[in-house]
Amino acid sequence: MAGKGIGKRRTLLPYLLLLPSLVVLGMFVFYPFVRNIVLSLTMTDVAGNVVKFVGFRNFERLFGNKTFLNSLQVSFRFAVMVGVPTFVLGFVLALAAAEQKRGSRIYETMYTMPLVIAAAPASAIWYMVFSSTGGMLNYLTGLNHPWLSDPSTAIWCVAAVTVWANLGINIIFLLTGFRNVPQELIESAKIDGAGYLVRVRKIIVPLASPQIFFVVFYNIVTSFQTFAQVRLLTDGGPYYSTNVLIFQIYKEAFYNSRFYNACAMSVILFLIIFIITRVQFFFENKGVHY
């Protein structure tokens, strides 16, 4: 009997240890997620209380809404404008810093400095750079261009700030992957006459593919979740040119008090990211080597 009691306690112990984490996840992740789905299928008042159940009519209305469709288009465009240069720059800089040399720590620190700056002060600094009156960019170029007020350049400015902010995390993970490549393989390839680009393509990239996969995944997700830069630099303007989907969700909820629309948009954003990640994991099985 004593043995059975000890066995039960051992069985319960892991669940008791996990209980605090499960409670926190339930309160701040699972419950809000389910609640969001429920509200997306209802009409709500200005306080967010459910008025009536409408099913999928909220989603039908959204796909007839030009502002929402524009925010989708801007979000996908923004994801490409951020994801591609962030990865390319991170890859090149990490590759350049992969060989540890004297003073390399200084460059590594410089590359990753944006990570320690919060989005709000960083956006304030970049706002002064892009400002049309006394901005540093106009001063250096000799122009007098309203970078953040021109629809053709505003989204590029926000994308540049986001690339700068995300570059550090790309470099950290890629640099870790590159430095984990056994030097014996690199030296053997050199002896066999393999050039630098061949060594990168045939040895470094395959062996660092888990880190590369993570960085690509991270860039896509964060580009769709970029909010602070849009809010502080352009406020979604001018003329909705930087009105990404997550900012439109914010406006629907807190400007217009249409919580049902905001919840429906959140579900759509979740599905977009979910589909993209499933596609990525499909290709992971073919191109990532652990």
Side-chain angles (χ1 to χ4, degrees):
M1 295 295 292
K4 290 183 178 179
I6 294 173
K8 287 182 179 180
R9 286 197 295 272
R10 287 179 177 174
T11 304
L12 289 173
L13 181 60
Y15 298 101
L16 292 174
L17 294 174
L18 287 172
L19 185 60
S21 298
L22 293 175
V23 170
V24 173
L25 286 172
M27 290 175 59
F28 298 103
V29 178
F30 300 125
Y31 172 74
F33 179 74
V34 174
R35 178 72 172 169
N36 184 87
I37 294 175
V38 172
L39 289 178
S40 70
L41 303 174
T42 65
M43 293 292 290
T44 60
D45 58 22
V46 293
N49 299 314
V50 176
V51 175
K52 64 177 180 178
F53 181 81
V54 296
F56 292 99
R57 268 179 278 175
N58 288 334
F59 296 93
E60 293 174 5
R61 281 196 297 268
L62 283 180
F63 285 100
N65 187 311
K66 291 183 179 180
T67 302
F68 169 73
L69 294 177
N70 174 74
S71 69
L72 273 181
Q73 179 185 358
V74 172
S75 294
F76 279 102
R77 181 185 174 199
F78 185 77
V80 175
M81 294 169 65
V82 170
V84 174
T86 304
F87 174 76
V88 172
L89 286 173
F91 187 91
V92 171
L93 292 175
L95 203 59
E99 294 184 13
Q100 290 181 312
K101 298 179 180 179
R102 187 177 180 180
S104 61
R105 292 289 184 187
I106 298 174
Y107 295 103
E108 293 169 23
T109 304
M110 290 172 59
Y111 295 156
T112 55
M113 277 296 290
L115 283 175
V116 302
I117 305 176
S123 298
I125 294 169
W126 281 99
Y127 184 85
M128 291 186 287
V129 172
F130 293 125
S131 176
S132 58
T133 55
M136 187 181 295
L137 186 57
N138 278 338
Y139 175 78
L140 293 175
T141 59
L143 301 173
N144 188 27
H145 186 76
W147 300 96
L148 296 174
S149 302
D150 185 345
S152 63
T153 57
I155 192 169
W156 288 100
C157 293
V158 178
V161 175
T162 308
V163 170
W164 172 82
N166 293 343
L167 190 58
I169 194 70
N170 279 248
I171 292 173
I172 287 174
F173 280 99
L174 290 173
L175 190 58
T176 302
F178 296 159
R179 285 183 175 170
N180 283 337
V181 176
Q183 287 300 312
E184 296 81 3
L185 293 177
I186 304 293
E187 295 301 326
S188 297
K190 287 182 181 179
I191 294 172
D192 291 339
Y196 180 73
L197 293 179
V198 174
R199 296 197 301 270
V200 170
R201 184 166 58 90
K202 296 289 188 178
I203 299 174
I204 296 177
V205 170
L207 293 178
S209 56
Q211 288 79 16
I212 293 173
F213 171 78
F214 172 80
V215 164
V216 171
F217 168 79
Y218 174 86
N219 289 338
I220 293 174
V221 172
T222 52
S223 62
F224 276 100
Q225 295 177 339
T226 300
F227 173 81
Q229 296 91 310
V230 176
R231 174 70 179 85
L232 297 171
L233 290 175
T234 62
D235 204 34
Y239 306 109
Y240 299 98
S241 61
T242 61
N243 190 45
V244 293
L245 181 55
I246 196 166
F247 188 71
Q248 182 61 27
I249 293 170
Y250 167 77
K251 289 198 298 184
E252 285 293 304
F254 298 104
Y255 285 9
N256 304 326
S257 297
R258 292 196 285 258
F259 295 98
Y260 51 92
N261 271 354
C263 290
M265 291 179 186
S266 299
V267 172
I268 293 171
L269 179 58
F270 164 76
L271 291 175
I272 291 171
I273 296 176
F274 177 78
I275 292 170
I276 291 173
T277 54
R278 293 315 303 167
V279 171
Q280 281 186 284
F281 279 108
F282 172 78
F283 287 107
E284 177 198 17
N285 297 328
K286 298 187 175 183
V288 178
H289 307 281
Y290 291 98

